[in-house]
Amino acid sequence: RRPPPLPEDDMPAFRALVHQAFGRRRKTLRNALLPGRDPRRLDAAFNAAEVDPRRRAESLAVAEFVRLWRALNRAGGAIQ
């Protein structure tokens, strides 16, 4: 069994991000993650994580979600 991609304390927030990404069917990542976030910070996080915001959640690997989650936290783009 693989270790979790993040420390255990960060996993609830990470799971919330993944849940939100998959929660809006047929939406791009940007549109799925936009509710509750500042659009400029969200766009900055996508850029910093090197993830195309036009992709859909099912196309991302776990490592890409981790990069995006970290970039969102640095950009202050966590759900408000």
Side-chain angles (χ1 to χ4, degrees):
R1 186 173 160 184
R2 291 186 211 170
L6 294 166
E8 193 60 39
D9 291 347
D10 294 335
M11 289 305 291
F14 177 72
R15 285 186 190 106
L17 173 77
V18 173
H19 180 77
Q20 186 178 11
F22 279 95
R24 299 192 61 200
R25 233 179 128 190
R26 309 264 321 135
K27 296 289 181 187
T28 63
L29 279 170
R30 187 180 190 284
N31 289 337
L33 297 178
L34 188 57
R37 291 186 173 87
D38 179 309
R40 291 167 298 179
R41 289 182 176 172
L42 181 61
D43 292 338
F46 277 115
N47 189 40
E50 298 179 353
V51 172
D52 184 348
R54 297 171 296 182
R55 290 174 63 188
R56 300 191 191 283
E58 61 269 14
S59 74
L60 265 69
V62 173
E64 291 173 303
F65 270 114
V66 169
R67 282 198 327 258
L68 182 57
W69 182 83
R70 286 182 174 147
L72 280 167
N73 283 333
R74 282 191 303 270
I79 296 175
Q80 301 162 350

